[in-house]
Amino acid sequence: MADINFDRILEDIKPTETEKKRVMELSDELIKNLNETAARKGAEAEAVLVGSVAKSTWLAGKADIDIFMEFSLDTDESYLKRCGLKLGHNCIETMGGTAEERYASHPYVTGTIEGYEVDFVPCYFIEDASQLKSAVDRTILHTQYIKKHLNKKQEDEVLLLKRFMECVGTYGSEFKVGGFSGYLCELMVLEYGTFMGVLGAASSSWRYGQIVDLENHGTAELFKDPLVAVDPVDKNRNVAAALNLQKMSDFIIASENFLKNPSERYFYPKDLEFHSESVKKEFLKRGTKTFILTFRPPDIPADAVYPQIRKTEKSIVKVAESHGFTVTGSDSWTDEDDEAMILVEFETWKLPSMRKHSGPQIWFKEHQERFLEKYSGKAWVEGDRWVVEVPRTYESVEAFFEGVLTPNKIGYLRFGKHVKTEILTEHQLLDINELLESQCDGEVLRFLYLYLNKNELLWR
């Protein structure tokens, strides 16, 4: 295997001493600010630094400062949220930053201070998972566990793993990606020792349902996910629950590719070459028919937008196929603010006006009578089953979309109410060529290019 200069890569991806010093100084300032304000207002809360900054596992230039505000277990939940958010807002304001409230499973305040994104999250102080009162409470236990078990050398191994995953498109547990979280990367390094150990295991022995159980809790059978990483601090949680099968498979293939032909280029963003003409030619060459449904994304948190759009995409495919159209592939994209797209590529997009409809077997007389009553003399027997030709509901994909995206028919599609509202308010159905002839920005072109070249990021 060719030698890889990991030290040189680490020089590029590891925060400099200057960056580390500034991030830690700012973190200390924020914690001091929060604790002093809490004491002054008589709020029994204590600020603590968590996440990758606390664990020294953040990539250069990507320090997200996560500060949790711990309240005692007997604190009223509504008071905890109200007081915690107020403390967060006050801290951001006094530090000259801009604030915004967000809601995941738990409300929190996010702000930008001196160019750094800072999250302030109220939580309960717990000593072990049996005391959990909210989903975020275990985060402090995660930080403590990693700081206790991950040695200095392994911090670098985590950085290499995160960077590799980032560049092959498998890093990030948010719905947009469906990949590996930072905490999961840390657990992988603890399990397999090194970055190369993780890649070696993934490429040679990982299977669906792969188990990582560092503390031997023995609760892996509780989960049915592609990868099961039992949380060392909470035996009833799978750290890899957000990892989808596609991203797990992508990581396995990227690991195989790297080990067969190691290259430092895996640690740097791949330079993708595409423009509207080349993408248009590629779609034309395929001989399929591709449609893009565009609409405005709903104004809800990003982690709610993506599952709703994906659910809609899958439903469109399912309903289209139930009407006889053959779908080659589909995908979706959004910039989260102004535009959302669902792409559906059809192998069959025009159908005959009639379709064969199967009825009951001739032995079931009651069903046979009802069938013949409905279809009179048009039915015939094939083998032992009645069949009839009936007019097709939709003869073209255009007619299908026009039919199902109307208020009275949209109920056939399964999706979140927010996306449904936006589509009913306004949408456009474009042939791929129409889209590519219009003003197509770089992110949309990148989405289309990666749809056509699905394994592009997995090799160098």
Side-chain angles (χ1 to χ4, degrees), residues 204-221:
S204 64
S205 61
W206 278 13
R207 300 288 183 273
Y208 189 98
Q210 183 70 32
I211 295 168
V212 172
D213 188 0
L214 283 159
E215 294 297 317
N216 298 313
H217 286 308
T219 51
E221 73 279 355

Side-chain angles (χ1 to χ4, degrees), residues 365-436:
K365 301 302 180 185
E366 190 181 329
H367 297 305
Q368 173 182 280
E369 273 179 43
R370 282 205 300 271
F371 188 78
L372 292 178
E373 198 176 300
K374 183 172 182 179
Y375 294 108
S376 113
K378 294 177 182 177
W380 72 94
V381 175
E382 280 188 4
D384 65 349
R385 187 176 289 280
W386 285 99
V387 292
V388 66
E389 281 183 348
V390 294
R392 194 176 291 280
T393 310
Y394 306 115
E395 294 176 38
S396 70
V397 165
E398 291 92 336
F400 162 74
F401 274 111
E402 196 179 320
V404 297
L405 297 178
T406 54
N408 58 330
K409 292 281 184 69
I410 205 161
Y412 288 129
L413 301 176
R414 289 172 52 82
F415 49 4
K417 61 180 181 180
H418 302 98
V419 166
K420 178 179 179 178
T421 301
E422 293 297 339
I423 288 176
L424 283 177
T425 301
E426 188 182 2
H427 69 265
Q428 250 191 318
L429 184 68
L430 301 169
D431 180 279
I432 189 67
N433 294 323
E434 290 178 86
L435 179 72
L436 289 166

Side-chain angles (χ1 to χ4, degrees), residues 255-274:
S255 299
E256 288 175 5
N257 291 344
F258 176 82
L259 294 174
K260 281 178 194 165
N261 186 22
S263 168
E264 291 178 22
R265 286 178 296 169
Y266 278 92
F267 298 91
Y268 301 92
K270 191 167 185 182
D271 197 11
L272 305 177
E273 293 182 17
F274 53 84

Side-chain angles (χ1 to χ4, degrees), residues 217-229:
H217 286 308
T219 51
E221 73 279 355
L222 295 175
F223 313 102
K224 303 298 177 198
D225 301 303
L227 176 68
V228 177

